[in-house]
Amino acid sequence: MQEIIDGILKFQREAFVERSDLFKQLATRQNPRTLFISCSDSRLVPELLTQREPGDLFVIRNAGNIVPSFGPEPGGVSASVEYAVAALGVEDIVICGHSDCGAMTAIATCQCLDHMPTVASWLRYADAARSITQANDYASEQERVNAVVRENVIAQLTNIKTHPSVALALEQGKLKLHGWVYDIASGGVDALDGNTRRFVPLAANPQVTATPSATCL
């Protein structure tokens, strides 16, 4: 804990001073253009990965970068999505999975989660990814985990489209969706191409989005 306290003091001495004008601007308003939904995993830091400053991203983090489908009992994720789209008017939503994800590994390897019933219940929102990967054969357990990670990103993109605020913004052409998978070891990011439904390297395809173009609908 002392390391965290030391970090706060260093932030106040250095980072805050260097960005004092920025923080003055942010003191009474925010205007992020992107909602970034990622796993809570400590190795994935959205602002570090995207090299963004405070105020640039509206961030949701949870186990498995999950977005529950819209329903009668909205939770914190649903409320945050709605606020980002309806109140802040974000123009892009990124759902970002990552390599070696513990939640997706549990799904891929059918780990018993009886000792973590809340986690088990939460991961039911990834059942579509589970079903698809269970129906296929893979050369190794690692390949199965990698497949679940990608299928889960696709599943959560499907889920988020059920939210009224998102559906309206998509229909009005005010919003684009992005599905990413971050590789911890290499730093690489693969992005879902909405036209081909395949993941491609973002570095070679910087304009790719998970939203199909009109000609491919």
Side-chain angles (χ1 to χ4, degrees):
M1 187 61 193
Q2 188 57 49
E3 293 178 350
I4 293 177
I5 295 173
D6 290 343
I8 290 176
L9 299 178
K10 181 178 180 181
F11 163 77
Q12 293 172 339
R13 290 194 310 268
E14 300 176 12
F16 184 85
V17 173
E18 293 172 358
R19 295 169 174 81
S20 59
D21 289 341
L22 172 61
F23 285 113
K24 287 178 182 177
Q25 296 173 11
L26 295 175
T28 57
R29 66 183 186 276
Q30 63 169 325
N31 187 36
R33 308 319 309 153
T34 301
L35 167 60
F36 198 100
I37 303 172
S38 72
C39 187
S40 296
D41 193 296
S42 61
R43 298 166 294 178
L44 200 175
V45 182
E47 292 83 0
L48 179 62
L49 176 61
T50 61
Q51 292 293 282
R52 295 293 84 202
E53 290 282 6
D56 289 339
L57 301 178
F58 194 75
V59 178
I60 299 173
R61 300 183 68 177
N62 62 61
N65 42 276
I66 281 172
V67 181
S69 299
F70 186 78
E73 298 181 5
V77 173
S78 297
S80 296
V81 168
E82 184 174 83
Y83 184 78
V85 176
L88 297 177
V90 297
E91 299 171 354
D92 295 275
I93 297 178
V94 178
I95 297 181
C96 185
H98 66 93
S99 61
D100 194 45
C101 178
M104 296 305 107
T105 298
I107 291 174
T109 59
C110 298
Q111 291 180 15
C112 177
L113 297 174
D114 288 349
H115 62 302
M116 291 188 289
T118 305
V119 173
S121 178
W122 179 248
L123 293 182
R124 291 298 302 272
Y125 291 112
D127 275 355
R130 183 200 306 269
S131 296
I132 291 172
T133 52
Q134 283 183 344
N136 295 306
D137 295 322
Y138 299 91
S140 67
E141 183 177 284
Q142 187 59 57
E143 285 191 11
R144 182 177 294 277
V145 172
N146 293 341
V148 172
V149 168
R150 282 161 171 73
E151 290 296 339
N152 181 58
V153 169
I154 295 173
Q156 304 317 315
L157 285 167
T158 299
N159 287 350
I160 203 169
K161 292 177 186 177
T162 67
H163 291 247
S165 59
V166 173
L168 177 60
L170 287 171
E171 174 65 23
Q172 294 176 336
K174 296 179 179 179
L175 182 67
K176 290 183 179 179
L177 301 180
H178 307 263
W180 293 358
V181 173
Y182 165 58
D183 183 72
I184 296 171
S186 68
V189 174
D190 287 341
L192 179 66
D193 184 332
N195 296 326
T196 65
R197 305 296 287 173
R198 295 181 180 276
F199 282 88
V200 297
L202 183 61
N205 303 272
Q207 303 303 318
V208 72
T209 74
T211 307
S213 61
T215 57
C216 295
L217 292 178

